[in-house]
Amino acid sequence: EVQLVESGGGLVQPGGSLRLSCAASGFTYDIYWMTWVRQAPGKGLEWVANINPDGSEKYYVDSVKGRFTISRDNAKNSLYLQMDSLRAEDTAVYYCARGTVAGYWGQGTLVTVSS
Amino acid sequence: DIQLTQSPSFLSASVGDRVTITCRASQGISSYLAWLQQKPGKAPKLLIYGASTLHSGVPSRFSGSGSGTEFTLTISSLQPEDFATYYCQQLNSYPQTFGQGTKVEIK
């Protein structure tokens, strides 16, 4: 069974940093693109970033470029999102998903940026 | 960036109704479109990809069509478990983008 479990969310002050993790199991992790998508409270979905199987290609939405970094550790079946210089508008539930076409999703982790 | 506009944004329907949701892209995206369903407090679920291919395990009452700039999601006979918010997503070019969502509620 495909499982994706996010962790690392929480409350952080504006300008702070947070690292999200996504633990994958139940499939051959190192052959799939992986994706981060976020959803602000009461709002729609926003694609954030994705990464190719060997980590050599990464794409970001403009609003996070230069502040967020997507990475992966295929030996640990894990996906990461390093978030720096956080802003109030980054407050959202962050989901990791398998594939560029996100066929499987984690349950999400809430990031709140507030003083 | 490619903009996706869904219509309607809100839809009130009864069990058994045929429901159609439209997604229009600001430029051509071939068939690189997916449809997702989200229920309150839950992660989204993929329904359709490639504009018309049903994801594994998705009931056959869901269908998708279209290419280029206009796409539709159809639910042939609405079931109680289908009341949710539906999103289209384009995967033709970066940044990937979502439509604003269509909330389907019980009439």
Side-chain angles (χ1 to χ4, degrees), chain B residues 36-106:
Chain B
L36 300 100
Q37 176 196 67
Q38 187 179 33
K39 296 181 180 178
K42 300 293 186 182
K45 290 184 177 179
L46 178 66
L47 297 175
I48 287 168
Y49 61 95
S52 60
T53 301
L54 217 58
H55 182 55
S56 173
V58 174
S60 59
R61 62 180 179 273
F62 291 93
S63 63
S65 65
S67 67
T69 61
E70 188 151 338
F71 303 85
T72 59
L73 171 70
T74 299
I75 309 172
S76 60
S77 178
L78 199 64
Q79 297 302 301
E81 59 268 30
D82 300 337
F83 291 95
T85 300
Y86 293 85
Y87 295 92
C88 57
Q89 179 195 12
Q90 69 82 16
L91 302 103
N92 180 76
S93 61
Y94 289 108
Q96 294 180 10
T97 47
F98 289 90
Q100 82 279 14
T102 296
K103 188 173 185 179
V104 178
E105 289 200 343
I106 301 172

Side-chain angles (χ1 to χ4, degrees), chain A residues 7-100:
Chain A
S7 60
L11 175 63
V12 60
Q13 292 189 338
S17 297
L18 216 51
R19 188 197 198 203
L20 305 184
S21 299
C22 172
S25 61
F27 64 100
T28 305
Y29 178 73
D30 61 6
I31 65 171
Y32 284 92
W33 283 73
M34 296 296 293
T35 298
W36 287 101
V37 173
R38 67 184 178 182
Q39 186 169 36
K43 302 296 185 182
L45 301 171
E46 181 181 35
W47 176 85
V48 174
N50 64 13
I51 187 168
N52 73 334
D54 69 6
S56 61
E57 291 183 53
K58 304 174 185 181
Y59 300 92
Y60 300 91
V61 67
D62 282 352
S63 59
V64 309
K65 279 181 184 174
R67 300 188 300 121
F68 289 13
T69 302
I70 188 172
S71 63
R72 64 192 296 161
D73 184 334
N74 287 345
K76 295 183 177 180
N77 286 1
S78 292
L79 176 72
Y80 306 102
L81 188 66
Q82 177 66 41
M83 304 187 295
D84 299 320
S85 303
L86 282 160
R87 306 167 180 167
E89 55 265 36
D90 296 318
T91 294
V93 174
Y94 285 74
Y95 296 100
C96 71
R98 187 186 87 172
T100 48

